[in-house]
């Protein structure tokens, strides 16, 4: 089956040096990992599929990939992009921000926002998620797995998903051009990762401005304990700031649940 994406355009207009296309695959992150084990020359490599059957989310979560979903992984040799391992903890926010900015070129009235640490929200619902993993030694490439709900409408999805998820087609009322969306996100990814490598202060400023959680009451489960408080934004190091009864906390990982909107 020919790819329903313009792969040539993607390679010409973005920093992607090589593409690997699959009609169907379990998880593009797993496929990317396999390709890394076999040895890769040209990166960034884009691993892209028509249908993902075993999409993985953070922790034990699954990623619902109905037809029309955009699911891909980018393999990045971060040293070739001027990044060091000390920059990796900020890779999720950098990626999330690029997705927001890429998607915002399609929406006029409501911006996509970054939900710390790795989700993108539109109209109070999740439109995209990121799963970043580290590839094999010695090069340890980053595998940046991204799922964006583009043409997979949630109108007929299970009720639990309908109330929590949204796709670009649901928001626009018409289908999106998958290549166009992918190119927009990839261009912003290149820009954001360049800012990260250059320690550009504008990056933290941008994720602070896009923070979906700011001013909301949240519960954050860090694994070792559960914090409740009002979100005061994201700091320059990528930490979530939480005003709690025990003072201001800075959290660097965790699962967030919104318990009350801005007040
Ligand atoms: C999350 O929200 O928990 C992260 C979801 C990440 C999903 C993407 S889809 C492409 C890539 N392949 C996977 O198996 N997962 C990521």
């Amino acid at each position: 089956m020919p790819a329903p994406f313009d792969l040539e355009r993607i390679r010409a207009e973005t920093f992607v040096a090589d593409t690997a296309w699959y009609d169907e695959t379990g998880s593009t992150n797993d496929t990317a990992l396999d390709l890394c084990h076999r040895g890769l020359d040209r990166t960034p490599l884009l691993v892209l599929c028509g249908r993902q059957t075993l999409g993985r989310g953070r922790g034990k979560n699954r990623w619902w990939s109905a037809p029309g979903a955009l699911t891909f992984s980018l393999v990045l040799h971060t040293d070739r992009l001027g990044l060091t391992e000390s920059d990796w903890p900020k890779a999720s926010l950098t990626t999330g921000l690029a997705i927001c900015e890429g998607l915002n070129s399609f929406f006029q009235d409501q911006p996509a926002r970054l939900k710390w640490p790795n989700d993108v929200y539109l109209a109070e619902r999740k439109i995209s998620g990121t799963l970043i993993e580290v590839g094999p030694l010695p090069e340890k490439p980053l595998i940046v797995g991204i799922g964006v709900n583009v043409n997979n409408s949630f109108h007929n999805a299970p009720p639990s998903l309908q109330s929590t998820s949204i796709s670009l087609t649901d928001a626009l009322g018409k289908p999106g051009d998958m290549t166009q969306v992918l190119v927009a996100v990839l261009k912003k990814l290149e820009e954001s990762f360049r800012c990260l490598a250059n320690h550009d202060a504008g990056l933290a400023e941008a994720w602070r401005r896009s923070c979906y959680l700011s001013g909301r009451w949240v519960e954050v489960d860090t694994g070792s304990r559960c914090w409740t408080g009002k979100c005061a934004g994201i700091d320059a190091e990528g930490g979530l700031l939480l005003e709690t009864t025990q003072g201001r906390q800075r959290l660097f990982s965790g699962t967030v649940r919104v318990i009350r909107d801005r007040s």
Side-chain angles (χ1 to χ4, degrees), residues 104-116:
N104 281 342
S105 55
F106 297 89
F107 307 120
Q108 259 89 57
D109 41 358
Q110 49 187 344
R113 291 192 178 280
L114 186 55
K115 179 169 176 266
W116 183 95

Side-chain angles (χ1 to χ4, degrees), residues 26-30 47 49 52 54-59 61-65 70-73 118-119 126 128-133 144-148:
S27 151
T28 55
N29 267 34
D30 291 342
V47 180
C49 69
Q52 184 176 252
L54 287 170
R56 294 188 286 111
R58 289 174 79 216
N61 294 342
R62 295 280 306 273
W63 181 255
W64 191 71
S65 313
L70 172 59
T71 49
F72 64 98
S73 300
N118 69 336
D119 291 342
K126 180 162 167 171
S128 172
T130 301
L131 176 67
I132 300 187
E133 296 176 309
V144 181
I146 298 178
V148 185

Side-chain angles (χ1 to χ4, degrees), residues 21 41 60 71 91 110 132 146 149 155 191 200 220 231 236:
W21 163 259
D41 286 334
K60 293 200 171 91
T71 49
Q110 49 187 344
I132 300 187
I146 298 178
N149 300 321
H155 287 149
E191 230 175 272
D200 184 338
V220 185
C231 176

Side-chain angles (χ1 to χ4, degrees), residues 217-234:
W217 289 83
V218 297
E219 201 175 77
V220 185
D221 185 351
T222 64
S224 54
R225 72 170 287 180
C226 204
W227 291 99
T228 302
K230 190 174 181 177
C231 176
I234 305 170

